[in-house]
């Protein structure tokens, strides 16, 4: 059948199961927007293209499906860049569709021409420049496959304007791609792994984002319980293993639980499941888990032996490797090891602000804990980047995967609100909370109108410390408290919300927090809560840059 | 040390840029990169000579990262494989008729060709290993000022042997010995 390029775009998107896209129109993608009206797709108009990118990202993280964002050429496309890089660093399956000037003008600096495939080359898994309509169908088909297969990631398709209006035959193509499946793990390596696991007296599982992407929760649980191995998670791995389980140690790394970090440093075996030994989880690599053998199960062979030398590499999808490995394992128990960790945990608990007597001050920990209690730990939580992000990771304890949406690898401020809006489209029946800092919130707060326009039921908790808190903390610890450019005047967030037609409240006292949260939960549609929290509280524990994982700064005990 | 990779890629616009960009971004050093067509019009072949400061581990990283590029079909490391490697050079020597015979003589010894003769210069074409080309350049230098154009190295394994493929799962590769050895290597 003959069709216009712009129609082919939608034919292909709908066949990929896309029913919502996030975007912003402009000169170079008008034919696509025009054709959209004839297709059963809901379009969400962001207020900035970065917002659209984060929405697609949030949608993908919450749904496990491919998120789609589209923009015009030039500035529309460059505004996506931060969002694409964010998705790249966290392996999020996304497809970005940008308009481009007509193919005969490419390279001539036409109005709103920017070399988008050039700019995004290092921050996409792959990208395409489509010059003619005939290339569209195959390209889009391949793009979706690339975005979601193997280690997922963002793919960008730059479509010249002429390709959007050209007529050509449309046949939905077969996927033509070389298979790049992992070879099954060889028996010797599996045996070697099983042998190390059997011998281990002090094993720890390091659970990463890969566990969630792979959908390996069940195998992970089986593995942990059968071998009685404690589990600690990376920031993005949270939720793969229930936080309430007795084997759960919580988060590891720079702001990880001190007992988790102590366990890693004292382990004799690390089982790295779908994680990449990022510098935020290892501290100084030379000092990392010195006594531990390491088994690394990872789908991306480029991550094996990149940051940390491992003893047994098993390259492949975590779920299937664990399925191969489980039958080779016996039942073990590590009572002594668990006791030892419990003693460390008791020490962490004594330094946990939540366990301290109320001193009348409102700490972020209280707020996050109250949200957690009110929502029964079942909400979908997105965050921005900074102190509040770490406090959310520490205090919003997750028992389920795909509910924790945060920019890990890129650490992108401004991510919280738009990703929450995107996530809501994937989980309209669930409670969605965006926990943001006053700095990051101001980067993308115009998306509040988007939430209103879409009726997105997103609750925003602004943890306002009137500082760029995380930077302030570093200045306090490592720059002799010389505060430079971290003092931040903030608008009246309640009025700001109300200007958007959003109900809002400010909370300044600890005893009012729970009630305000309840009010927000009962109120239909988006709500903003501003919490005036302690200005100079710090995230503990903290592994300073250049230190070993066990050399943590701990919260000082109360005088 | 330098490693030699033979890389088959899809013959599409921008692929060279992707490969070059990858090396830059990952901070790998390219000594030389040659790309040309192959027997299959859909496939281009690159010979990449890259610095691998920590040997096998670096070579493994390069290989693994190349496979992240969707357009990369196959990567072989031929560094330690019996293989033929060739570099082609054009060398212009500023020389008048009085010393032309010397250049001729050298060319003959090296089995090079004189491909252009002008009043005050000749162009020598030589194909061979890098060593061989380096030596003729050094011998020609004292005769007259030089202009040198070199292609960079291309490589092909001898006989039916392929190069080393380290990554299991790519193109149906199985885990190779290197991967197995890694299992026994301790930090
Ligand atoms: C786009 C961007 N710019 C700068 C930074 C550096 N940075 C990391 S945390 C932080 C402070 C964030 O302050 P705020 O949003 O108020 O959150 P808080 O740390 O106070 O919870 C900054 C500036 C960043 N991560 N992202």
């Amino acid at each position: 059948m003959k069709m216009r390029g712009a129609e082919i775009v939608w034919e292909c998107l709908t066949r990929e199961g896309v029913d919502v896209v996030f975007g912003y129109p402009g000169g170079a993608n008008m034919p696509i927007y025009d054709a959209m009206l004839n297709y059963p797709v809901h379009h969400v108009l962001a207020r900035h293209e970065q917002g659209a990118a984060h929405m697609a990202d949030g949608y993908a993280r919450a749904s496990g499906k491919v998120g789609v964002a589209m923009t015009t050429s030039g500035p529309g496309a460059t505004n996506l860049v931060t969002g694409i890089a964010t998705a790249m660093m966290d392996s999020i399956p996304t497809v970005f569709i940008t308009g481009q000037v007509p193919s005969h003008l490419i390279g001539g600096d036409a109005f709103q021409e920017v070399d988008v495939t050039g700019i995004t080359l290092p921050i996409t898994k792959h990208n395409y420049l489509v010059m003619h309509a005939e290339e569209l169908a195959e390209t889009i088909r391949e793009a979706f496959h690339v975005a979601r297969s193997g280690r997922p990631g963002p793919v960008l398709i730059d479509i010249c304007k002429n390709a959007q209006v050209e007529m050509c035959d449309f046949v939905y193509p077969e996927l033509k791609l070389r298979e790049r499946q992992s070879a099954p793990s060889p028996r010797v390596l599996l045996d070697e792994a099983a042998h190390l696991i059997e011998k281990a007296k002090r094993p720890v599982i390091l659970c990463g984002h890969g566990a969630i992407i792979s959908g390996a929760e069940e195998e992970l649980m089986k593995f942990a319980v059968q071998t009685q191995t404690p589990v600690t998670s990376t920031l993005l791995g949270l939720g793969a293993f229930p936080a309430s389980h007795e084997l759960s140690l919580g988060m590891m790394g720079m702001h990880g639980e001190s007992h988790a970090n102590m366990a890693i440093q004292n382990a004799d075996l690390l089982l790295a499941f779908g994680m990449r030994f990022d510098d935020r989880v290892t501290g100084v690599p030379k000092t990392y888990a010195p006594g531990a053998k390491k088994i690394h199960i990872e789908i991306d062979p480029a991550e094996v032996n990149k940051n940390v030398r491992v003893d047994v590499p098993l390259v492949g999808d975590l779920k299937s490797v664990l399925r191969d490995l489980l039958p080779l394992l016996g039942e073990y128990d590590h009572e002594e090891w668990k006791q030892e960790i419990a003693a460390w945990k008791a020490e962490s608990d004594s330094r946990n602000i939540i366990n301290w007597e109320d001193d009348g001050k409102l700490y972020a920990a209280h707020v996050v804990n109250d949200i957690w209690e009110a929502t029964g730990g079942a909400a979908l939580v997105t965050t921005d980047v900074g102190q509040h992000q770490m406090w959310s990771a520490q205090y919003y304890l997750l028992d389920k995967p795909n509910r924790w949406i945060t920019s890990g690898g890129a650490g992108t401020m401004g991510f919280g609100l738009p990703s929450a809006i995107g996530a809501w489209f994937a989980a309209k029946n669930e409670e969605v909370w965006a926990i943001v800092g006053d700095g990051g919130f101001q980067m993308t707060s115009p998306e509040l109108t988007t939430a209103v326009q879409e009726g997105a039921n997103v609750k925003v908790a602004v943890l306002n410390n009137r500082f760029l808190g995380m930077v302030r903390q570093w200045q306090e610890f490592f720059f002799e408290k010389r505060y430079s450019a971290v003092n931040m005047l903030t608008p009246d967030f309640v009025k700001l919300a109300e200007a958007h037609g959003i109900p809002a409240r400010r909370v300044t006292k600890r005893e009012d927090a729970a009630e305000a949260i309840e009010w927000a939960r009962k109120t239909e549609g988006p709500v903003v809560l501003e919490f005036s929290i302690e200005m100079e509280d710090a995230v503990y524990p903290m592994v300073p840059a250049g230190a070993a994982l066990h050399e943590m700064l701990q919260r000082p005990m109360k005088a | 040390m330098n490693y030699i990779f033979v890389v088959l890629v899809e013959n599409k616009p921008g692929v060279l840029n992707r490969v070059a960009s990858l090396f830059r971004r990952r901070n790998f050093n390219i000594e030389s990169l040659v790309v040309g067509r192959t027997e299959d019009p859909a496939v281009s072949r690159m010979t990449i000579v890259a610095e691998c400061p920590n040997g096998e581990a670096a070579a493994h990283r390069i290989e693994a990262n190349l496979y992240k590029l969707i357009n990369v079909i196959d990567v072989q490391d031929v560094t330690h494989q019996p293989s033929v490697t060739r570099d082609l050079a054009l060398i212009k020597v500023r020389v008048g008729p009085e010393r032309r015979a010397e250049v001729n003589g050298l060319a003959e010894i090296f089995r090079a060709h004189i491909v252009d003769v002008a009043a005050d210069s000749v162009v020598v074409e030589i194909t061979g290993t890098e060593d061989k080309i380096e030596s003729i350049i050094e011998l020609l230098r004292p005769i007259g000022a030089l202009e040198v154009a070199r292609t960079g190295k291309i490589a092909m394994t001898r006989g039916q042997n392929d190069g080393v493929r380290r990554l299991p799962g790519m193109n149906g590769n199985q885990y190779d010995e290197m991967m197995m050895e890694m299992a026994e290597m301790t930090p």
Side-chain angles (χ1 to χ4, degrees):
Chain A
M1 203 196 339
K2 285 246 186 259
M3 274 191 191
R4 251 179 231 295
E7 292 167 322
I8 295 177
V9 169
W10 294 110
E11 289 288 337
C12 293
L13 290 185
T14 46
R15 280 180 176 77
E16 294 294 343
V18 175
D19 50 16
V20 57
V21 298
F22 307 89
Y24 214 101
N29 63 0
M30 288 186 66
I32 296 178
Y33 271 87
D34 181 65
M36 180 175 78
L37 296 175
N38 299 332
Y39 288 85
V41 172
H42 180 72
H43 180 268
V44 179
L45 179 64
R47 294 303 184 268
H48 185 293
E49 287 86 350
Q50 180 186 349
H54 292 328
M55 287 176 202
D57 179 322
Y59 176 84
R61 294 190 205 222
S63 66
K65 296 200 282 189
V66 178
V68 180
M70 51 177 56
T71 72
T72 188
S73 66
T78 54
N79 272 351
L80 283 175
V81 166
T82 302
I84 300 175
T86 304
M88 182 69 175
M89 290 298 276
D90 290 349
S91 307
I92 307 303
T94 36
V95 168
F96 296 93
I97 298 178
T98 49
Q100 183 54 280
V101 302
S103 57
H104 71 277
L105 294 180
I106 291 262
D109 302 323
F111 178 64
Q112 294 194 330
E113 179 188 3
V114 163
D115 174 12
V116 175
T117 42
I119 287 174
T120 60
L121 192 139
I123 53 165
T124 49
K125 192 172 166 190
H126 194 54
N127 63 22
Y128 304 86
L129 171 61
V130 177
M131 299 228 202
H132 293 288
E134 308 83 75
E135 304 154 30
L136 272 170
E138 205 168 296
T139 303
I140 295 172
R141 183 95 212 248
E142 189 177 302
F144 274 82
H145 175 78
V146 170
R148 67 179 150 231
S149 60
R151 180 178 178 175
V155 177
L156 180 136
I157 313 173
D158 199 24
I159 308 179
C160 290
K161 197 165 178 186
N162 59 294
Q164 301 170 30
V165 293
E166 283 165 6
M167 300 285 288
C168 79
D169 272 325
F170 172 67
V171 202
Y172 194 56
E174 286 294 313
L175 194 57
K176 280 192 240 134
L177 256 197
R178 289 178 309 283
E179 269 315 311
R180 282 195 176 175
Q181 256 147 29
S182 310
S185 303
R187 189 56 200 253
V188 258
L189 283 190
L190 289 170
D191 283 342
E192 175 70 10
H195 176 65
L196 288 179
I197 294 163
E198 186 185 347
K199 263 195 348 201
K201 295 265 178 295
R202 309 154 77 84
V204 178
I205 293 171
L206 313 176
C207 162
H209 192 195
I212 295 173
I213 297 173
S214 161
E217 297 85 10
E218 217 175 284
E219 290 75 12
L220 171 63
M221 174 62 79
K222 214 163 155 203
F223 186 106
V225 171
Q226 186 177 326
T227 62
Q228 284 297 298
T229 305
V231 182
T232 171
S233 288
T234 65
L235 178 66
L236 293 184
L238 292 169
F241 190 78
S244 58
H245 197 280
E246 55 124 10
L247 286 167
S248 168
L249 305 182
M251 185 168 71
M252 65 177 107
M254 182 177 273
H255 292 297
E257 304 296 337
S258 69
H259 53 278
N261 287 346
M262 291 303 286
I264 291 171
Q265 290 301 81
N266 289 283
D268 64 1
L269 178 65
L270 293 184
L271 296 136
F273 290 176
M275 54 85 76
R276 61 188 171 96
F277 293 105
D278 179 76
D279 55 75
R280 299 278 133 156
V281 305
T282 60
V284 175
K286 268 197 234 82
T287 59
Y288 183 66
K293 294 268 183 194
K294 296 166 190 94
I295 299 173
H296 194 183
I297 309 181
E298 166 59 44
I299 196 163
D300 180 354
E303 294 297 349
V304 175
N305 286 323
K306 184 175 89 173
N307 299 334
V308 166
R309 262 256 180 253
V310 299
D311 300 280
V312 181
L314 293 165
V315 176
D317 176 60
L318 181 63
K319 191 184 179 85
S320 76
V321 176
L322 284 182
R323 282 192 171 172
D324 291 343
L325 189 55
L326 277 166
L328 309 180
L329 301 179
E331 286 182 21
Y332 312 111
D333 90 79
H334 297 293
E335 233 9 85
E336 241 173 84
W337 176 227
K338 279 160 58 189
Q339 292 303 325
E340 206 170 329
I341 296 174
W344 288 319
K345 178 150 192 321
E347 160 77 10
S348 327
D349 285 346
S350 70
R351 290 177 186 272
N352 188 339
I353 206 163
I354 285 291
N355 299 328
W356 291 4
E357 212 175 296
D358 195 346
D359 61 0
K361 293 177 177 167
L362 181 61
Y363 291 96
H366 298 147
V367 177
V368 177
N369 185 64
D370 285 353
I371 296 175
W372 175 73
E373 276 188 356
T375 57
L380 229 145
V381 176
T382 77
T383 76
D384 228 87
V385 169
Q387 292 184 312
H388 66 279
Q389 177 187 31
M390 293 301 128
W391 281 316
S392 302
Q394 293 174 344
Y395 293 102
Y396 200 96
L397 304 174
L398 294 151
D399 278 348
K400 285 192 189 157
N402 299 322
R403 259 135 216 282
W404 168 242
I405 296 179
T406 192
S407 166
T412 304
M413 284 172 70
F415 180 75
L417 174 60
S419 62
I421 296 172
W424 178 78
F425 278 94
K428 289 191 180 175
N429 297 323
E430 314 223 6
E431 204 168 333
V432 179
W433 280 80
I435 303 179
V436 300
D438 47 306
F441 183 48
Q442 288 184 74
M443 286 195 173
T444 51
S445 61
E447 302 301 348
L448 284 175
T449 355
T450 314
V452 175
Q453 186 169 349
E454 296 295 336
N457 193 5
V458 170
K459 313 302 177 194
V460 183
V462 188
L463 303 193
N464 189 357
N465 50 15
R466 282 163 287 155
F467 271 120
L468 293 175
M470 188 56 98
V471 179
R472 185 208 61 75
Q473 175 171 344
W474 281 59
Q475 290 174 351
E476 176 190 337
F477 288 5
F478 313 120
F479 293 87
E480 297 154 349
K481 221 171 175 176
R482 286 157 54 86
Y483 288 170
S484 174
V486 291
N487 258 304
M488 194 169 226
L489 181 71
T490 54
D492 180 329
F493 288 120
V494 172
K495 280 195 181 144
L496 179 80
E498 285 168 357
H500 288 86
I502 295 178
R505 274 199 200 177
R506 180 175 301 109
V507 178
T508 54
K509 296 205 196 73
R510 183 177 181 183
E511 61 265 29
D512 298 338
E515 201 271 319
I517 290 164
E518 254 340 298
W519 169 77
R521 297 184 68 219
K522 285 204 211 88
T523 307
E524 244 334 281
V527 175
V528 171
L529 294 179
E530 177 186 352
F531 296 91
S532 303
I533 56 166
E534 273 306 294
M535 288 179 68
E536 297 188 71
D537 190 17
V539 182
Y540 292 102
M542 174 173 197
V543 182
L549 211 50
H550 58 277
E551 295 164 349
M552 286 162 282
L553 304 175
Q554 298 270 22
R555 185 176 283 279
M557 291 302 263
K558 271 230 175 116
Chain B
M1 99 167 250
N2 284 342
Y3 274 64
I4 308 168
F5 299 93
V6 170
V7 184
L8 299 183
V9 299
E10 290 174 318
N11 179 13
K12 287 188 178 166
V15 176
L16 175 60
N17 185 22
R18 287 178 199 280
V19 173
S21 165
L22 170 84
F23 275 74
R24 176 192 54 78
R25 171 166 134 56
R26 296 282 175 191
N27 210 7
F28 306 140
N29 242 335
I30 301 184
E31 277 301 311
S32 74
L33 190 161
V34 181
V35 56
R37 279 185 288 190
T38 62
E39 67 284 0
D40 178 350
V43 175
S44 302
R45 177 173 174 127
M46 295 182 176
T47 306
I48 304 175
V49 182
E51 210 181 288
C52 292
N54 51 354
E56 291 293 305
H60 180 270
R61 273 198 75 195
I62 289 179
E63 219 176 300
N65 276 286
L66 278 167
Y67 276 116
K68 285 185 183 235
L69 299 179
I70 304 301
N71 303 115
V72 168
I73 300 167
D74 185 38
V75 183
Q76 297 178 41
D77 171 0
V78 302
T79 315
H80 304 294
Q81 257 2 63
S83 52
V84 185
T85 62
R86 288 289 181 273
D87 201 343
L88 182 145
L90 295 175
I91 308 164
K92 186 180 280 178
V93 190
R94 306 227 178 273
V95 64
E98 55 306 332
R99 296 188 72 180
R100 216 178 268 152
E102 275 179 65
V103 177
N104 261 330
L106 279 172
E108 215 163 286
I109 295 168
F110 280 87
R111 288 198 228 155
H113 306 283
I114 308 285
V115 291
D116 181 63
V117 181
D120 55 358
S121 71
V122 298
V123 176
V124 179
E125 177 199 309
I126 177 162
T127 311
T129 59
E130 280 181 322
D131 283 356
K132 179 174 159 188
I133 293 174
E134 298 295 341
S135 350
I136 194 170
I137 290 174
E138 282 323 302
L139 291 167
L140 289 170
R141 199 184 293 279
I143 301 177
L146 293 170
E147 179 184 336
V148 178
R150 292 174 67 164
T151 56
K153 195 181 276 187
I154 58 173
M156 188 174 276
T157 55
R158 293 177 189 274
Q160 293 296 313
N161 293 330
D162 281 354
V164 175
R165 293 189 182 88
R166 291 185 178 77
L167 291 205
M170 302 302 166
N171 306 309
N173 294 350
Q174 296 305 312
Y175 278 71
D176 68 6
E177 276 162 35
M178 157 78 192
M179 205 71 178
M180 301 295 195
E181 274 164 29
M182 255 172 24
E184 282 140 42
M185 259 194 261
T186 31

